[in-house]
């Protein structure tokens, strides 16, 4: 099955790829979670609501950023392939 078939049938979904939670990422995630818990415990209910709203907006912005980075990377890859296909290695120039 071609990659286009795979995309069409939903067998490829880059959004569902997850980061390996190990090494430096795991350390940072643990530290961030600990700090967030500590801060959350010290906030009044109104401040907790504001803090949760900030976190929600931050997650949305991160999702937008990831989508844009994916699109840019995909386009760069496609442009690279197009250039390679139009390259004459014997003359070392684009066709």
């Amino acid at each position: 099955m071609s990659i286009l078939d795979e995309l069409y049938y939903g067998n490829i979904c880059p959004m569902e790829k997850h980061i390996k939670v190990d090494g430096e990422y795991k350390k940072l995630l643990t530290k961030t979670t600990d700090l967030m818990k500590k801060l959350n415990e010290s906030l009044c209910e109104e401040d907790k609501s504001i803090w949760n709203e900030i976190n929600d907006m931050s997650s949305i912005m991160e999702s937008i950023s990831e989508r844009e980075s994916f699109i840019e990377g995909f386009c760069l890859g496609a442009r690279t392939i197009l250039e390679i296909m139009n390259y004459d290695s014997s003359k070392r120039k684009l066709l």
Side-chain angles (χ1 to χ4, degrees):
M1 192 176 285
S2 76
I3 193 163
L4 294 175
D5 289 328
E6 294 287 343
L7 281 168
Y8 178 80
Y9 289 111
N11 297 331
I12 298 173
C13 187
M15 271 181 50
E16 293 178 357
K17 299 287 182 188
H18 298 285
I19 296 172
K20 283 185 179 180
V21 182
D22 60 0
E24 184 179 2
Y25 187 91
K26 184 175 183 176
K27 289 177 193 175
L28 292 170
L29 179 61
T30 300
K31 181 70 173 173
T32 300
T33 302
D34 291 344
L35 290 170
M36 288 174 73
K37 284 179 185 177
K38 187 182 283 189
L39 179 61
N40 198 39
E41 290 169 359
S42 69
L43 297 175
C44 68
E45 289 305 313
E46 183 180 350
D47 291 342
K48 284 180 185 180
S49 176
I50 293 169
W51 172 245
N52 288 332
E53 190 173 350
I54 290 169
N55 280 328
D56 291 345
M57 286 187 281
S58 180
S59 292
I60 292 168
M61 289 187 305
E62 184 176 330
S63 177
I64 292 168
S65 177
E66 287 175 357
R67 183 184 71 227
E68 292 299 317
S69 292
F70 172 80
I71 291 168
E72 285 298 316
F74 188 90
C75 290
L76 178 60
R79 286 192 309 266
T80 301
I81 290 169
L82 288 172
E83 185 171 316
I84 289 168
M85 293 183 74
N86 289 308
Y87 185 76
D88 184 345
S89 60
S90 65
K91 295 178 184 174
R92 299 186 61 77
K93 66 177 185 176
L94 292 176
L95 297 175

